């Protein structure tokens, strides 16, 4: 059976369904207790397959499986009623098939053929006056810019779904194909030995050229995939028989909508329906212990150096906003437009007026999770004016410097802040909780879910909060105008919906929006008694709960959060809020919000990491392995050439990051979990034909790679160095204990080990890294930069291996 199945997997897309009768496989952890179960799991992993059924199909066992090479091929897997003829349950699935896409043909500038020399010369003629209305000055500048673009940049037809030739196709192949075609006709008309030989030579030449072109193209993708992953996914998507798209969607009547124009209208109506429309002015004083109005943000002028820096950092592969000004055009002509842009920006700031072009957004729907037919499962991402975002970035930088220098953002917020990340959020929050668990053996953590958080922020209450923390004057007036009279429309396959007003929220996809959002929810944790941590809108609160008073304290904090939610019009989706209750002594208290009992779960996903109620990370290891295997499967099935120059950069850039995301926090210590992660790298290195007959250790040595286990140790030491030296913005005294008494092998900074009782605390980052850190020599520990520390650490590891 396995031999037959493996042969069928030669196709790019495969779907295998049936009763496999393997009751001893735990599909949640991808582990088994029998040899046949192990063989099936190994078959799936070796061939990079996904099993989609997660509910029992006969009694308590999952026997009927749906196995696929491409995850987006199958959706909405549901186990239903028993079949009439047997005791198995019916398994229903939706299978995505290739559909024809109605696409509006749009012509876009072809900057590869642009005459930038003449274009730059014409742009030097722009003379802008800083008198008058900024709207008129901006339109004058934009029209001149676009007129010159239309003159010196030719247009080409944008066809995203249908391509006439593969990306590696070139003129030499085209010429050879024509020659082969002519020789084939000649051979058919006059089948002489000489004509047959000419044709066979031409056919071999075409094959050789195609092979060489494919190899060069795939090697180029592999080399550049770290800096330009877009080229990789474009190549993969072009090879897919089934592509992920938007829709079809179900409308309010339950009918299926497939037309791009109707889908755009349907999504636009849904995105508009979530806005606040009847928001009331604030009636309460904003509370923040850090506010000192003596240090308000002053008015400022924007300099040409700031505009030049913003232009220089532009990414040219980004899409333009509704004003059709491309980032490629701005970056190529930055010297010529620098003075004009500075004039427009300062006029906009002084007058407190934002040009209407900068307040319009083309919305791109991004699928989140769940049923693709439901409009509510899509998130709106706004594509706004690139020029407007340049000014936003300058204003944002000044606001962020002001907030950080006066410590106006609470320590619990880790999102959109310098030197903070998902990893810093996880490490700091769970470090305290794991220490408490070591003593109390009982934790309750509540994970809160805002309802359309970025779209619900009331504008006048946001402006009020900005004033209360000293962001007033020109900046406040400019932000007020930036938020008012905004419009958006949904764009799909070149079809646009109607413009609709944006009455609340901060645009997702803007530069300034995220900072305004974290300012708005900054006081959420004021007055709370339990530990709270935020990453943008992802919020969790928890503590050890030994007594009824502890549980009541957490319940009171949830009530305070509900009061804050009502006051500032930021509702929570109570049905999606979850409680993780940890420990054998836990009494499983029923927490509630707004009179609704919160759902208690055994496992929750926090910032992309699975947290189980037993505080073990086996499920996270399975998830990470599955993601990495899927990506490795894409590479295996879509790349013809699998030499070292292709596989190694693709693996290190696109596969390994799935195995190492925030791994300092969830690093496994059980042998089975370590082996599961290491198995991905084993398979990746074995894909290189020249290394297949070597052992895993020999393959790593040939490729100059570390095992994943050693890389996890390396990652922990690097994160430890960043925390101790201020490269990660967390209080090191709350994470580590500095020991001034240990001087036996002085490396400059010694850390003290904590006495722990449980495995989950013993193997947690802040405890397990201490022993390894204290072993490092002074040449490693006393480095001044992260790069120098990495180099010295790698040198130290190599010396240990050689010894």
């Amino acid at each position: 059976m396995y031999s037959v199945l493996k042969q069928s997997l030669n196709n790019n897309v495969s779907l295998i369904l049936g009763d496999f009768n393997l009751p001893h496989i735990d599909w949640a952890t991808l582990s088994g207790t029998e040899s046949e179960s192990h063989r099936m799991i190994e078959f799936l992993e070796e061939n990079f397959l996904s099993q989609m059924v997660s509910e029992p199909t006969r009694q308590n066992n999952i026997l009927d499986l749906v196995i696929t090479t491409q995850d987006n091929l199958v959706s909405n897997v549901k186990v239903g009623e028993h079949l009439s003829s047997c005791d198995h349950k019916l398994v229903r699935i939706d299978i995505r098939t290739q559909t024809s896409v109605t696409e509006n043909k749009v012509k876009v500038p072809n900057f590869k053929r642009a005459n930038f020399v003449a274009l730059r010369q014409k742009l030097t003629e722009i003379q802008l006056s800083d008198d008058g209305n900024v709207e008129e000055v901006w339109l004058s500048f934009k029209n001149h810019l676009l007129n010159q673009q239309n003159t010196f940049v030719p247009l080409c037809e944008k066809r995203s779904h249908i391509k006439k030739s593969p990306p590696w196709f070139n003129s030499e192949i085209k010429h050879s194909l024509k020659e082969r075609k002519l020789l084939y006709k000649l051979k058919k008309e006059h089948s002489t030995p000489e004509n047959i030989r000419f044709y066979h030579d031409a056919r071999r030449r075409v094959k050789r050229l195609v092979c060489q072109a494919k190899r060069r193209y795939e090697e180029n993708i592999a080399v550049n995939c770290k800096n330009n992953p877009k080229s990789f996914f474009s190549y993969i998507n072009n090879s897919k028989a089934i592509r992920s798209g938007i829709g079809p969607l179900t409308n309010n009547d339950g009918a299926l909508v497939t037309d791009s124009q109707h889908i755009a209208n349907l999504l636009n109506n849904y995105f508009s329906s979530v806005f606040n429309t009847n928001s009331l002015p604030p009636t309460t004083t904003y509370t923040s212990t850090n506010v000192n109005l003596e240090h308000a943000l002053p008015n400022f002028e924007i300099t040409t150096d700031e505009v030049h820096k913003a232009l220089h950092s532009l990414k040219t592969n980004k899409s333009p906003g509704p004003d059709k000004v491309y980032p490629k055009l701005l970056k190529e002509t930055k010297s010529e437009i620098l003075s004009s842009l500075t004039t427009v920006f300062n006029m906009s700031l002084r007058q407190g007026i934002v040009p209407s072009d900068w307040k319009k957004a083309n919305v791109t729907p991004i699928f989140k999770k769940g049923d693709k037919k439901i409009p509510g499962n899509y998130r709106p991402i706004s594509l706004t004016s690139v020029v407007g975002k340049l000014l936003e970035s300058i204003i944002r930088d000044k606001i962020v410097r002001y907030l950080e220098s006066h410590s106006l953002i609470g320590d619990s917020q880790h999102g959109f802040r310098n030197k903070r990340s998902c990893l810093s959020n996880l490490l700091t929050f769970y470090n305290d909780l794991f220490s408490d668990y070591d003593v109390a053996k009982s934790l309750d953590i509540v994970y809160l879910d805002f309802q359309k958080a970025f779209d619900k922020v009331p504008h006048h209450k946001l402006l009020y909060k900005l004033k209360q923390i000293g962001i007033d004057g020109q900046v406040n007036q400019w932000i007020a105008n930036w938020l008012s009279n905004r419009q958006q429309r949904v764009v799909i396959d070149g079809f646009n919906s109607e413009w609709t007003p944006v009455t609340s929220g901060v645009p997702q996809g803007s530069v300034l929006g995220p900072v305004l959002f974290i300012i708005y929810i900054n006081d959420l944790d004021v007055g709370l008694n339990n530990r709270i941590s935020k990453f943008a809108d992802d919020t969790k609160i928890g503590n050890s709960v030994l007594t009824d008073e502890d549980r009541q304290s957490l319940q009171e904090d949830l009530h305070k959060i509900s009061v804050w939610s009502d006051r500032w019009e930021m509702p929570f989706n109570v049905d999606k809020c979850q409680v993780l209750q940890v420990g054998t002594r836990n009494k499983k208290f029923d927490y509630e919000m707004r009179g609704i009992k919160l759902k208690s779960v055994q496992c929750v996903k926090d910032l992309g990491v699975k947290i189980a109620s037993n505080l073990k990370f086996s499920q996270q290891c399975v998830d990470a392995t599955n993601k990495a295997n899927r990506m490795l499967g894409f590479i295996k099935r879509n790349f013809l050439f699998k030499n070292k120059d292709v596989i190694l950069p693709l693996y290190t850039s696109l596969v390994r990051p799935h195995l190492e995301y925030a791994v300092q926090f969830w690093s496994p210590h059980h042998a089975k979990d370590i082996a599961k992660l290491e198995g991905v790298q084993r398979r990746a290195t074995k894909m290189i034909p020249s290394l297949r007959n070597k052992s895993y250790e020999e393959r790593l040595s040939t490729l100059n790679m570390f095992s994943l286990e050693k890389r996890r140790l390396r990652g922990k030491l690097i994160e430890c160095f960043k925390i101790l030296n201020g490269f990660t913005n967390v209080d090191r005294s709350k994470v580590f204990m500095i020991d001034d008494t240990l001087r036996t092998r002085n490396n400059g900074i010694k850390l003290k080990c904590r006495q722990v009782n449980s495995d989950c605390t013993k193997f947690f980052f802040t405890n397990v890294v201490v022993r390894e850190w204290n072993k490092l020599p002074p040449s490693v520990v006393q480095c001044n930069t992260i790069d120098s520390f990495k180099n010295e650490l790698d040198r130290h590891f190599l010396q240990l291996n050689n010894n």
Side-chain angles (χ1 to χ4, degrees):
M1 183 191 72
Y2 288 113
S3 176
V4 172
L5 289 179
K6 194 166 185 178
Q7 290 176 10
S8 72
L9 296 176
N10 291 331
N11 297 324
N12 193 30
V13 178
S14 296
L15 183 62
I16 305 167
L17 308 97
D19 175 11
F20 282 78
N21 198 28
L22 293 170
H24 302 292
I25 296 181
D26 182 352
W27 291 104
T29 59
L30 209 61
S31 58
T33 57
E34 291 186 347
S35 60
E36 196 57 54
S37 300
H38 293 155
R39 188 178 180 188
M40 181 65 176
I41 294 168
E42 183 180 353
F43 171 76
L44 295 180
E45 291 180 339
E46 290 291 338
N47 293 283
F48 312 107
L49 302 171
S50 299
Q51 201 285 114
M52 311 298 289
V53 180
S54 58
E55 301 175 56
T57 62
R58 181 181 182 274
Q59 298 177 2
N60 294 322
N61 302 315
I62 301 177
L63 303 183
D64 305 277
L65 309 182
V66 176
I67 300 170
T68 178
T69 55
Q70 191 170 309
D71 281 3
N72 71 328
L73 178 65
V74 173
S75 61
N76 299 330
V77 180
K78 296 177 182 178
V79 178
E81 68 278 10
H82 282 92
L83 293 167
S84 57
S85 57
C86 66
D87 57 353
H88 287 250
K89 292 180 180 179
L90 187 68
V91 181
R92 290 185 174 89
I93 62 173
D94 289 350
I95 302 176
R96 178 178 290 274
T97 59
Q98 187 63 56
T99 56
S100 59
V101 178
T102 305
E103 188 173 11
N104 212 359
K105 296 179 181 179
V106 179
K107 290 194 173 183
V108 296
N110 184 0
F111 289 106
K112 292 181 179 179
R113 299 174 57 193
N115 184 355
F116 280 114
V117 175
L119 177 59
R120 294 187 188 101
Q121 180 64 35
K122 283 290 184 180
L123 290 180
T124 57
E125 301 173 2
I126 299 179
Q127 297 292 329
L128 295 182
S129 171
D130 57 359
D131 295 329
N133 184 277
V134 66
E135 180 80 38
E136 296 173 356
V137 174
W138 157 249
L139 288 176
S140 174
F141 170 77
K142 183 190 79 167
N143 291 335
H144 186 79
L145 190 67
L146 293 181
N147 286 337
Q148 302 311 319
Q149 175 185 289
N150 293 336
T151 303
F152 298 105
V153 183
L155 297 177
C156 63
E157 189 175 290
K158 181 182 180 182
R159 295 171 66 87
S160 58
H161 291 282
I162 304 171
K163 292 188 179 294
K164 293 181 179 179
S165 58
W168 41 261
F169 195 81
N170 56 40
S171 58
E172 190 176 8
I173 296 175
K174 184 178 180 181
H175 177 75
S176 297
L177 285 171
K178 287 182 178 179
E179 185 181 17
R180 186 188 69 177
K181 187 176 181 180
L182 291 174
L183 290 172
Y184 177 75
K185 288 182 178 179
L186 184 63
K187 177 180 77 80
K188 293 293 287 183
E189 292 174 0
H190 307 286
S191 185
T192 64
E194 187 177 26
N195 288 342
I196 293 174
R197 180 169 55 83
F198 286 157
Y199 168 70
H200 287 167
D201 289 344
R203 188 173 61 178
R204 282 192 292 268
R205 186 160 55 252
V206 168
K207 288 183 179 180
R208 185 179 69 253
L209 290 173
V210 168
C211 186
Q212 290 172 350
K214 280 186 178 180
R215 181 188 291 269
R216 284 195 299 267
Y217 188 78
E218 291 184 354
E219 287 179 350
N220 184 57
I221 288 176
V223 169
N224 298 310
C225 64
K226 187 170 185 178
N227 297 322
N228 184 23
K230 200 171 183 179
S231 62
F232 168 81
F233 290 105
S234 175
Y235 185 56
I236 292 294
N237 290 333
N238 287 334
S239 303
K240 284 183 179 179
I242 309 298
R243 296 187 178 95
S244 295
I246 298 170
L249 302 178
T250 52
N251 60 20
N252 295 332
D253 299 327
L256 209 59
V257 177
T258 58
D259 179 71
S260 296
Q261 181 66 65
H262 290 145
I263 289 175
N265 292 330
L266 192 62
L267 286 170
N268 193 48
N269 292 336
Y270 171 74
F271 293 151
S272 302
S273 69
V274 303
F275 295 136
N276 284 326
T277 54
N278 299 313
S279 181
L280 299 174
T283 58
T284 182
T285 304
Y286 176 74
T287 304
S288 178
T289 56
N290 295 324
V291 174
N292 183 354
L293 293 181
E294 294 178 1
H295 303 288
L297 178 66
N299 295 333
F300 53 84
E301 284 279 318
I302 294 172
T303 65
T304 54
D305 287 340
E306 289 171 329
V307 179
H308 184 272
K309 181 181 177 182
L311 284 168
H312 183 72
S313 62
L314 270 178
K315 294 182 178 179
T316 57
N317 60 346
K318 299 296 183 182
S319 299
D323 59 3
K324 300 297 183 183
V325 177
Y326 284 78
K328 179 72 172 178
L329 176 65
L330 296 173
K331 193 161 187 175
E332 289 288 344
T333 61
K334 60 184 176 184
S335 299
E336 289 73 25
I337 64 175
L338 182 60
S339 176
S340 298
L341 276 182
T342 306
T343 299
V344 173
F345 289 169
N346 279 314
M347 287 182 68
S348 177
L349 198 57
R350 276 197 308 271
Q351 297 176 14
I353 297 175
V354 179
S356 57
D357 277 341
W358 302 357
K359 296 196 282 186
K360 293 180 178 179
N362 288 336
V363 171
T364 299
I366 302 296
F367 176 69
K368 295 184 293 184
K369 60 181 179 180
D371 191 344
K372 280 199 169 188
K373 297 193 291 292
I374 299 175
N377 290 333
Y378 291 82
R379 176 187 290 113
I381 300 298
S382 299
L383 288 175
T384 56
S385 168
V386 178
V387 178
K389 285 194 283 192
L390 288 174
L391 179 53
E392 286 180 51
S393 67
I394 296 171
I395 295 174
R396 177 207 57 191
D397 291 344
K398 292 183 180 293
I399 290 176
V400 167
R401 281 196 294 270
Y402 168 73
L403 295 173
E404 296 292 348
S405 61
H406 299 293
S407 301
L408 295 176
I409 298 297
D411 199 48
S412 65
Q413 179 61 262
H414 290 252
F416 306 113
R417 298 185 66 186
N418 293 330
K419 298 182 180 179
R420 292 201 169 198
S421 62
C422 293
L423 178 59
S424 68
N425 178 294
L426 294 167
L427 289 179
T428 52
F429 181 75
Y430 289 99
N431 177 59
D432 294 334
L433 286 183
F434 276 41
S435 298
D436 289 347
Y437 174 78
D438 204 54
V439 177
K441 301 297 183 187
S442 182
L443 295 175
D444 282 349
I445 310 170
V446 181
Y447 298 86
L448 302 173
D449 185 81
F450 278 103
Q451 190 181 98
K452 306 296 180 184
F454 281 76
D455 297 321
K456 291 287 188 181
V457 176
H459 292 162
H460 51 269
K461 291 189 176 182
L462 170 61
L463 295 169
Y464 171 78
K465 284 193 174 187
L466 292 175
K467 286 184 179 180
Q468 294 299 304
I469 62 171
I471 301 177
D472 204 354
Q474 286 183 354
V475 175
N476 192 286
Q477 185 181 354
W478 188 92
I479 292 173
N481 193 271
W482 181 71
L483 291 170
S484 65
N485 300 317
R486 297 192 69 88
Q487 292 181 299
Q488 70 177 33
R489 65 182 180 183
V490 172
V491 181
I492 297 175
D493 297 327
F495 291 93
N496 308 324
S497 69
E498 296 295 325
W499 289 105
T500 55
V502 179
T503 57
S504 68
V506 291
Q508 297 186 62
S510 66
V511 175
L512 191 56
V515 176
L516 297 179
F517 179 80
I518 67 172
I519 291 173
Y520 192 74
I521 68 167
N522 184 46
D523 61 332
L524 172 65
D525 44 340
V526 172
L528 302 183
N529 298 316
N530 293 274
R531 294 185 178 92
I532 186 170
S533 187
K534 304 192 290 283
F535 189 91
D537 61 325
D538 286 310
T539 305
K540 49 186 173 283
I541 181 171
N543 219 331
S544 57
V545 284
L546 265 182
T547 65
D548 290 338
E549 288 76 13
D550 294 334
R551 287 180 277 274
Q552 194 58 43
S553 173
L554 186 54
Q555 178 59 64
E556 289 174 2
D557 280 353
L558 292 176
H559 176 69
K560 291 176 183 177
I561 289 172
S562 296
V563 172
W564 179 94
S565 168
D566 292 335
R567 181 185 301 163
W568 298 107
E569 300 180 68
M570 290 292 291
F572 287 96
N573 194 337
V574 179
D575 293 335
K576 292 186 178 179
C577 294
Q578 299 176 325
V579 184
L580 188 70
Q581 297 180 306
V582 181
T584 55
R585 301 181 189 176
N586 200 304
K587 293 187 177 180
K588 311 291 185 183
F589 182 78
D590 290 336
Y591 295 96
E592 63 176 40
M593 291 182 74
R594 302 184 180 282
I596 301 174
K597 178 184 172 183
L598 299 184
K599 183 169 66 174
S600 179
V601 294
Q602 294 299 310
C603 187
V604 67
K605 199 167 194 176
D606 185 11
L607 299 180
V609 178
K610 286 284 186 71
I611 314 289
S613 58
N614 59 5
L615 299 184
K616 295 180 181 179
F617 294 105
S618 294
Q619 185 59 52
Q620 172 61 22
C621 290
V622 172
D623 280 13
T625 301
N626 288 342
K627 289 178 183 177
N629 267 334
R630 284 195 290 271
M631 185 58 69
L632 202 55
F634 285 153
I635 294 169
K636 180 181 179 182
R637 284 186 283 271
N638 291 283
F639 279 75
L640 183 63
F641 302 97
K642 299 180 177 66
N643 55 32
K644 172 185 171 183
D645 295 332
V646 171
I647 295 299
L648 188 57
L650 288 176
Y651 168 74
T652 55
S653 300
L654 300 170
V655 179
R656 194 168 63 188
H658 289 297
L659 303 171
E660 297 184 336
Y661 165 73
V663 75
Q664 294 88 337
F665 166 65
W666 59 269
S667 181
H669 59 272
H670 291 297
K672 65 181 181 64
D673 295 331
I674 293 172
K676 189 175 290 294
L677 294 176
E678 204 72 47
V680 179
Q681 185 160 281
R682 287 176 181 272
R683 286 187 286 276
T685 55
K686 206 170 185 179
M687 282 169 59
I688 302 173
S690 60
L691 302 179
R692 282 177 187 164
N693 296 324
K694 295 186 177 182
S695 68
Y696 178 53
E697 290 73 21
E698 289 175 326
R699 296 199 297 271
L700 292 181
S701 178
T702 304
L703 297 171
N704 196 25
M705 294 172 64
F706 291 127
S707 68
L708 291 179
E709 189 172 12
K710 183 163 285 188
R711 280 187 57 82
R712 287 193 291 273
L713 172 60
R714 179 180 181 270
K716 291 174 188 174
L717 291 171
I718 292 170
E719 189 62 28
C720 181
F721 173 82
K722 289 163 70 175
I723 293 173
L724 292 174
N725 291 275
F727 294 105
T728 295
N729 185 19
V730 298
D731 187 351
R732 70 179 191 176
S733 64
K734 293 182 179 179
V735 181
F736 296 114
M737 294 189 297
I738 309 298
D739 193 342
D740 296 325
T741 62
L742 292 175
R743 299 292 178 186
T744 54
R745 289 183 60 193
N746 184 21
N747 62 11
I749 302 175
K750 287 292 183 181
L751 303 179
K752 187 182 293 186
C753 290
R754 292 185 174 93
Q755 294 296 322
V756 296
N757 301 311
S758 60
D759 277 355
C760 68
T761 311
K762 176 182 177 181
F763 291 102
F764 189 69
F765 166 77
T766 51
N767 294 309
V768 78
V769 78
V770 169
R771 293 184 293 273
E772 301 299 332
W773 176 268
N774 289 338
K775 295 177 185 177
L776 295 178
S779 60
V780 179
V781 173
Q782 295 173 4
C783 291
N784 296 321
T785 65
I786 298 174
D787 287 338
S788 62
F789 178 80
K790 290 179 180 178
N791 293 333
E792 289 295 330
L793 185 61
D794 291 344
R795 198 172 291 118
H796 173 65
F797 281 159
L798 288 174
Q799 289 176 355
L800 291 179
N801 287 341
N802 293 333
N803 293 335

